[in-house]
Amino acid sequence: MLSLEGVIEEVRFRNEANGYTVAILNTSDGPVTIVGHTPFLYLDEKVKVEGEWVYHPTYGEQLSFTSITTILPSTLTGIENYLSSGLIPYIGPKTAKKIVERFGLDSLDIIQYNPEKLKEIPGIGDKKLEKIVEAFKEQRELRDTMIFLQQYDISANLGIKIYKKYGKDTINVISENPYRLSEDIFGIGFKIADRIAQKMGINNKSSYRIEAGIKYIIMEFAGNGHCYVPLEELKSYGSKLLQVEEDLIEEGVRSLGIKGSLHLITDEEKILVYYTPFHMAENYVSRKLVELSQVKLEELDIDLDREIKKIEEEENINFAQNQILAIKEAMNNGLLVITGGPGTGKTTIIKSIIKLCEDLKLKVVLAAPTGRAAKRITETTGKEAKTIHRLLEYSFLEDDMAFGKDEDSPIDGDLIIIDEASMIDILLMNSLLKAVDLGTRLVLVGDVDQLPSVGPGNVLRDIISSGVVKVVRLDEIFRQSEESLITVNAHRINKGEGPILNKKNKDFYFITEANTEKIAETIVDLCSERLPGFYGVDKLRDIQVLTPMKKGEVGINSLNQKLQAVLNPKTPNKAEKQIGSETFRVGDKVMQIKNNYTTEWKIIRDGIEVEKGEGVFNGDFGFITEIDEEDRILKVLFDDEKEVEYEFNQLDELKLAYAITVHKSQGSEFPVVVMPIGWGPPMLLTRNLLYTAITRAKSLVVLVGEEKYLYMMIKNNRITKRYSALDKKMRNYISIFMG
């Protein structure tokens, strides 16, 4: 193996996603082209590389390196370039210049051995100093680790995440069992871990590999909403994925069952394989729901008929029979489900229940699964609603989430109303019910015809289909709602009927375009010019493009690039940061795409911090307010108030959000919804996906595409089967409960 030392004279190519670099190394014998993967490489950096000569047909002789180490610089220019390279957070070009001007050739020694002196530099306080010292200490160890990882084609961005997880033990952990990466690191799935393992020479039939593959399949099914997988289906799928015999898959399943990771149950001669937390959650939820539904409540000292009549007179409304029934059942039962589409009066019922409880001096608690849904119910009822996570007082300790509210410390309330209940998955429902005391009334409100939760389970639908719980279905559209074609068409579509289109001075329009290129072009024009110009809506805050797909001309990836270019174009004074194929720019509309319970946020008003907390959640919307290359941070303002700081290596948690998938829109409401209607896989072009999309709109819906695909979606009433057994377990439990 050849070893060379020199100074980086030029970086000709750099792939930020995987760290692949082409550079010119100026050695004592002249310039040499070097190629390879490295997390950091900067101009004027002195390095030692080890590798082999290769010949490129276009670029000639190059040194392909497998190892690269920094030789700390010994000149003022070298030290300044080294410090300003971005290698150490919070030291950018300006700070580096100040350090070198103050400490000269001793700068690196000062950082390493006498870092307190850095506080002599303006702008470096205790907090910044701590980060600088820690980063400097780690950088050599990190570089060695990154070189090890990148021989397995792990990107620099993922490499830093891996190092943060395992620290100095990274190489040992991965060498022993690379499949741990798929469980521990967001962004590394089984397939990447498997590729690393294959390069390491790990046996194809290794128990590590088979068990990791089984867990991957189980979680892939969970990602599609399933709580369990039938063993035969798991064996067939696993055998094809791992290229091993089905007997080895079954052996791995049994082994994971003994270890407690999986739970196997027999149901009608089939073996069902559960991820253990899903099994435990389903069991607990079924039992607690039955107990809540059967609890005997103290009779209320109130004439409900008279009080409901009083509300009608005060609010100048005339309740439908089912609305009256819903209000009464909420007051008389430990558990009630209220379900209905748009315009059927769900909010009116919630407000009436709150009014009755306040008159009785009963404490009402309101919550919803997402921040946007909670904000909306707060606005419509005038009473504060929290997210379920906040209601349960979540915290994040030692890589795991915990709730302050549970069986030992239940929610303080006489009646709890949960809105948008169709979005609740089995794990969140499990945590919620643990904090609901028997004797507390629980009202679940939602639209069962919308898309089910993103997470595993079919909770609301299963509760209703169990036949165990009191359910009130609202099916009457009220006069004021009948004036909106959004409401009328939502109900027509839900019944399998065609919508009323393009009625003058109404709020539901269809624009015909024959191909995806024209559809995308029209959507961009609608968002940037036509809708803001005609309706006076804010092109960034009021209009939301919803699409069934991620890929293709009218998928979110392509539409986001097109919309960004027009709605927030590149300008010389607008900072931006490239991450992989995505460019983030100040002013961009973005969405958080994973739950991060430890990310800090703060609310600043008139320059004063008035509140702070932790937690940014999957589906939260915000706008980029600042990108700072000096400190390597990007700031986002969520919901117009919560400011969050992201380090550059966290930016894979964000996605441009000019266009989002319909699934990601659940629980949200937008003044204007624009949606492409074109060809797509039948599993995506479904009636309930279309129904969910149009019910997200408050004032206007514009569909763009071909009508034949619109009617194809309406006819496709395919509700994808989810493997869940909550309804069956509830029926089993009620039979035991009733003796």
Side-chain angles (χ1 to χ4, degrees):
M1 187 172 285
L2 182 68
S3 176
L4 291 176
E5 286 186 16
V7 174
I8 300 299
E9 187 176 86
E10 182 185 351
V11 177
R12 287 192 170 168
F13 175 78
R14 172 82 177 158
N15 185 330
E16 290 292 342
N18 61 20
Y20 181 76
T21 305
V22 179
I24 303 300
L25 182 70
N26 196 356
T27 71
S28 56
D29 294 325
V32 171
T33 301
I34 61 170
V35 296
H37 293 86
T38 176
F40 313 111
L41 198 65
Y42 303 101
L43 286 176
D44 300 321
E45 183 179 9
K46 190 172 183 182
V47 297
K48 177 183 177 182
V49 293
E50 294 182 346
E52 303 289 347
W53 290 111
V54 294
Y55 185 81
H56 191 283
T58 305
Y59 301 110
E61 199 171 47
Q62 301 173 332
L63 181 78
S64 177
F65 63 83
T66 53
S67 169
I68 182 165
T69 55
T70 298
I71 300 169
L72 291 178
S74 55
T75 67
L76 291 176
T77 302
I79 292 170
E80 186 176 331
N81 288 339
Y82 175 77
L83 290 176
S84 64
S85 63
L87 186 62
I88 304 172
Y90 295 96
I91 295 185
K94 293 175 186 174
T95 306
K97 187 174 184 63
K98 290 175 186 176
I99 290 172
V100 173
E101 283 176 352
R102 175 70 183 84
F103 301 115
L105 295 174
D106 296 328
S107 296
L108 298 179
D109 286 341
I110 292 290
I111 295 172
Q112 191 164 4
Y113 303 114
N114 198 3
E116 282 292 318
K117 284 196 164 194
L118 287 178
K119 288 202 280 188
E120 296 174 18
I121 304 297
I124 298 182
D126 289 335
K127 190 175 178 181
K128 208 170 195 181
L129 176 66
E130 187 182 332
K131 289 182 180 289
I132 290 169
V133 171
E134 189 179 333
F136 189 81
K137 190 173 107 178
E138 286 185 355
Q139 68 92 3
R140 280 192 166 185
E141 189 179 83
L142 171 61
R143 189 182 286 268
D144 291 343
T145 302
M146 296 292 278
I147 295 303
F148 168 81
L149 294 174
Q150 286 176 356
Q151 66 184 306
Y152 302 112
D153 299 325
I154 294 177
S155 72
N157 204 31
L158 281 178
I160 290 169
K161 284 190 171 187
I162 294 168
Y163 181 79
K164 281 191 171 183
K165 175 69 178 174
Y166 304 126
K168 63 183 188 314
D169 297 323
T170 300
I171 294 173
N172 290 336
V173 167
I174 294 171
S175 298
E176 181 188 347
N177 179 13
Y179 293 102
R180 279 188 61 178
L181 293 170
S182 61
E183 293 184 44
D184 295 344
I185 310 297
F186 176 72
I188 294 188
F190 170 78
K191 291 180 179 178
I192 294 176
D194 195 39
R195 188 186 70 218
I196 296 166
Q198 298 300 311
K199 284 193 171 186
M200 287 181 168
I202 289 178
N203 191 298
N204 204 43
K205 297 181 179 181
S206 154
S207 62
Y208 280 147
R209 180 174 187 264
I210 290 170
E211 290 182 13
I214 290 165
K215 288 180 185 176
Y216 165 74
I217 294 166
I218 292 280
M219 297 319 292
E220 193 176 54
F221 270 74
N224 289 320
H226 302 291
C227 287
Y228 66 81
V229 187
L231 178 61
E232 291 305 311
E233 194 170 334
L234 180 56
K235 283 163 60 178
S236 172
Y237 191 99
S239 175
K240 289 172 187 168
L241 175 74
L242 302 178
Q243 296 292 294
V244 297
E245 298 81 8
E246 287 191 8
D247 288 351
L248 287 176
I249 302 296
E250 183 165 355
E251 191 179 303
V253 168
R254 305 275 179 195
S255 172
L256 287 168
I258 292 167
K259 291 174 182 176
S261 297
L262 302 180
H263 190 93
L264 282 64
I265 63 172
T266 303
D267 180 66
E268 298 177 359
E269 300 183 357
K270 282 185 179 179
I271 296 174
L272 312 181
V273 183
Y274 275 88
Y275 176 49
T276 298
F278 299 163
H279 169 71
M280 293 172 68
E282 229 180 41
N283 284 353
Y284 182 86
V285 169
S286 63
R287 177 173 65 82
K288 188 65 175 280
L289 287 170
V290 168
E291 290 174 349
L292 285 167
S293 70
Q294 298 301 312
V295 72
K296 299 296 181 189
L297 300 172
E298 287 184 24
E299 281 194 29
L300 296 170
D301 184 19
I302 189 172
D303 183 334
L304 280 175
D305 287 316
R306 189 180 67 198
E307 293 301 320
I308 290 170
K309 197 75 183 165
K310 189 176 164 187
I311 291 172
E312 285 184 313
E313 290 168 1
E314 288 175 355
E315 301 296 329
N316 193 27
I317 54 178
N318 188 18
F319 288 126
Q321 283 304 114
N322 274 1
Q323 285 186 304
I324 293 171
L325 179 63
I327 295 167
K328 287 183 174 181
E329 296 288 15
M331 302 307 293
N332 291 328
N333 286 278
L335 176 62
L336 174 70
V337 173
I338 301 171
T339 184
T344 55
K346 296 190 295 294
T347 302
T348 302
I349 291 170
I350 291 172
K351 289 165 74 174
S352 301
I353 293 169
I354 292 169
K355 177 77 168 59
L356 284 172
C357 287
E358 286 175 345
D359 290 346
L360 286 165
K361 302 293 189 288
L362 297 178
K363 183 175 181 181
V364 180
V365 174
L366 288 179
T370 67
R372 291 178 75 87
K375 188 176 180 182
R376 194 170 77 247
I377 195 168
T378 297
E379 290 168 352
T380 54
T381 65
K383 183 173 177 63
E384 185 196 6
K386 296 179 178 178
T387 63
I388 296 173
H389 282 87
R390 274 192 70 200
L391 177 64
L392 298 179
E393 297 178 2
Y394 72 89
S395 59
F396 203 77
L397 303 168
E398 297 181 7
D399 295 330
D400 197 14
M401 185 174 58
F403 290 109
K405 294 295 179 185
D406 54 21
E407 289 156 316
D408 297 324
S409 178
I411 297 164
D412 179 20
D414 299 300
L415 188 143
I416 301 167
I417 300 173
I418 306 294
D419 197 20
E420 295 284 1
S422 63
M423 296 180 65
I424 304 176
D425 63 32
I426 194 66
L427 295 180
L428 186 56
M429 181 58 84
N430 179 57
S431 298
L432 172 65
L433 292 180
K434 282 183 177 178
V436 178
D437 238 348
L438 291 178
T440 299
R441 294 165 175 81
L442 177 64
V443 180
L444 302 175
V445 183
D447 185 347
V448 74
D449 294 315
Q450 286 192 23
L451 291 171
S453 60
V454 175
N458 210 6
V459 176
L460 187 63
R461 190 175 291 274
D462 279 356
I463 292 172
I464 292 171
S465 67
S466 73
V468 171
V469 173
K470 291 270 185 186
V471 177
V472 177
R473 294 178 181 270
L474 306 173
D475 50 18
E476 184 176 331
I477 306 173
F478 289 93
R479 190 167 54 237
Q480 63 269 31
S481 294
E482 284 180 346
E483 295 171 7
S484 165
L485 279 185
I486 296 173
T487 302
V488 171
N489 284 339
H491 287 271
R492 289 175 69 92
I493 287 166
N494 205 27
K495 293 174 188 172
E497 300 171 4
I500 299 165
L501 303 174
N502 301 335
K503 209 169 180 182
K504 192 174 179 182
N505 297 324
K506 287 293 185 176
D507 53 10
F508 200 105
Y509 295 94
F510 193 99
I511 298 173
T512 301
E513 294 293 357
N515 61 66
T516 53
E517 192 175 322
K518 285 293 292 179
I519 292 171
E521 190 180 301
T522 300
I523 286 173
V524 171
D525 187 39
L526 283 165
C527 295
S528 60
E529 299 295 337
R530 290 161 67 177
L531 294 177
F534 190 80
Y535 291 97
V537 293
D538 186 303
K539 61 182 72 175
L540 288 176
R541 296 178 185 276
D542 293 339
I543 303 171
Q544 184 59 57
V545 177
L546 302 182
T547 175
M549 292 167 288
K550 292 182 179 178
K551 296 179 181 177
E553 191 80 27
V554 292
I556 57 169
N557 297 330
S558 175
L559 282 174
N560 270 320
Q561 286 186 359
K562 289 179 168 67
L563 289 163
Q564 181 193 43
V566 173
L567 299 179
N568 188 32
K570 182 183 180 74
T571 61
N573 60 347
K574 202 179 283 182
E576 59 181 50
K577 179 65 182 174
Q578 179 90 22
I579 298 293
S581 61
E582 199 147 55
T583 299
F584 292 115
R585 190 173 294 143
V586 169
D588 274 337
K589 184 179 184 180
V590 292
M591 174 189 274
Q592 175 81 10
I593 60 168
K594 66 167 284 195
N595 289 336
N596 190 324
Y597 301 99
T598 58
T599 293
E600 296 179 354
W601 54 261
K602 56 189 175 184
I603 296 175
I604 298 172
R605 292 185 188 134
D606 299 324
I608 299 169
E609 184 180 300
V610 296
E611 190 181 344
K612 64 180 179 179
E614 290 184 342
V616 188
F617 299 103
N618 187 359
D620 284 353
F621 286 90
F623 288 88
I624 297 174
T625 58
E626 185 180 340
I627 298 174
D628 190 333
E629 286 284 354
E630 176 86 6
D631 289 345
R632 300 181 67 76
I633 58 169
L634 178 149
K635 291 182 183 177
V636 177
L637 191 66
F638 287 100
D639 291 327
D640 294 329
E641 58 175 6
K642 290 181 180 176
E643 184 182 279
V644 176
E645 244 181 47
Y646 292 83
E647 293 183 10
F648 281 174
N649 61 15
Q650 294 177 285
L651 294 184
D652 58 351
E653 294 183 14
L654 291 175
K655 188 91 180 153
L656 291 176
Y658 300 101
I660 62 172
T661 62
V662 178
H663 282 83
K664 286 287 188 185
S665 73
Q666 287 174 270
S668 298
E669 189 176 66
F670 312 99
V672 181
V673 164
V674 178
M675 184 180 180
I677 302 291
W679 180 90
M683 63 180 293
L684 287 179
L685 301 188
T686 63
R687 182 190 298 175
N688 71 335
L689 183 136
L690 176 63
Y691 173 79
T692 300
I694 65 175
T695 56
R696 300 304 89 207
K698 191 175 179 181
S699 305
L700 180 67
V701 168
V702 183
L703 307 178
V704 184
E706 295 184 72
E707 280 194 38
K708 67 178 180 181
Y709 292 114
L710 175 66
Y711 288 97
M712 189 184 295
M713 292 180 84
I714 294 168
K715 287 177 186 174
N716 182 10
N717 196 25
R718 168 182 176 174
I719 296 174
T720 306
K721 167 68 179 167
R722 287 193 168 198
Y723 291 130
S724 63
L726 180 63
D727 51 352
K728 185 178 287 189
K729 288 179 178 178
M730 287 176 70
R731 287 192 289 271
N732 290 343
Y733 197 81
I734 191 74
S735 63
I736 296 168
F737 189 90
M738 301 300 286

